[in-house]
Amino acid sequence: MSDALTITCDKSTWENKYAELKHYVHKFGDANVPRHYPQNVALGNWIVTQRCRYSQKKIKRERIQLLNEVGFEWSIRQKKWIRYYEELKMLYNQRVQVNQTPNPRLVIWIAAQRAEYKKLQNCEHSAITAERIKLLNDIGFKWTLKE
């Protein structure tokens, strides 16, 4: 009997947090609640839990669909990677030297891409994917400083 009560409470809690997320989206225009959101720490923690459950394939399809409907970002890392890639692509299109970028974090990101690629070349575990390599190759990315 307590299991049924737990499930009911869990559903109610999930729906309450989802409603709070919808309010956040309405107020800020996106579903990117910071992990340590000072106005609602519990909501930030709930967001982290949803991503974790998703990566472990422990979240119901209906909930995935609801979160997708409000623009929920399942992978923050992917979003950051794309943001840096787009910034680099813009610099390449403008023919600006990468070392002249006003964004030092982009320079660090570029070094990280080269390091991951080098790991892959050395048959070591690497976080870079074939898709990312293709995207970078397509814009003429230089994998070594000697190129």
Side-chain angles (χ1 to χ4, degrees), residues 50-99:
Q50 301 316 299
R51 288 189 180 114
C52 183
R53 286 184 173 172
Y54 180 80
S55 69
Q56 296 171 346
K57 299 184 184 337
K58 293 182 179 180
I59 187 170
K60 296 176 183 176
R61 281 189 189 160
E62 300 82 29
R63 290 180 175 180
I64 292 170
Q65 184 176 359
L66 287 169
L67 290 166
N68 284 340
E69 287 174 8
V70 296
F72 190 80
E73 296 284 342
W74 294 104
S75 174
I76 293 300
R77 286 186 185 128
Q78 174 69 6
K79 183 178 179 178
K80 284 182 182 178
W81 194 94
I82 293 294
R83 187 181 74 228
Y84 285 122
Y85 168 77
E86 291 295 334
E87 187 175 344
L88 179 65
K89 184 177 172 182
M90 184 183 69
L91 289 175
Y92 272 50
N93 288 338
Q94 295 174 351
R95 308 236 187 269
V96 173
Q97 293 294 321
V98 175
N99 60 359

Side-chain angles (χ1 to χ4, degrees), residues 36-48:
H36 302 290
Y37 180 49
Q39 289 82 5
N40 190 339
V41 175
L43 180 60
N45 290 334
W46 182 81
I47 294 293
V48 171

Side-chain angles (χ1 to χ4, degrees), residues 82-136:
I82 293 294
R83 187 181 74 228
Y84 285 122
Y85 168 77
E86 291 295 334
E87 187 175 344
L88 179 65
K89 184 177 172 182
M90 184 183 69
L91 289 175
Y92 272 50
N93 288 338
Q94 295 174 351
R95 308 236 187 269
V96 173
Q97 293 294 321
V98 175
N99 60 359
Q100 295 175 347
T101 179
N103 184 353
R105 290 182 184 203
L106 178 61
V107 175
I108 293 167
W109 179 85
I110 289 168
Q113 302 315 299
R114 288 181 175 138
E116 290 301 318
Y117 186 74
K118 186 174 182 178
K119 286 181 189 177
L120 188 66
Q121 297 297 334
N122 293 331
C123 299
E124 298 173 23
H125 175 73
S126 173
I128 198 160
T129 64
E131 177 187 2
R132 289 178 177 181
I133 291 169
K134 181 181 180 332
L135 286 169
L136 289 166

Side-chain angles (χ1 to χ4, degrees), residues 8-25:
T8 303
C9 290
D10 179 51
K11 183 177 181 184
S12 176
T13 300
W14 195 94
E15 290 171 350
N16 288 340
K17 289 296 174 215
Y18 180 71
E20 290 174 24
L21 176 61
K22 284 174 58 174
H23 177 73
Y24 180 94
V25 170

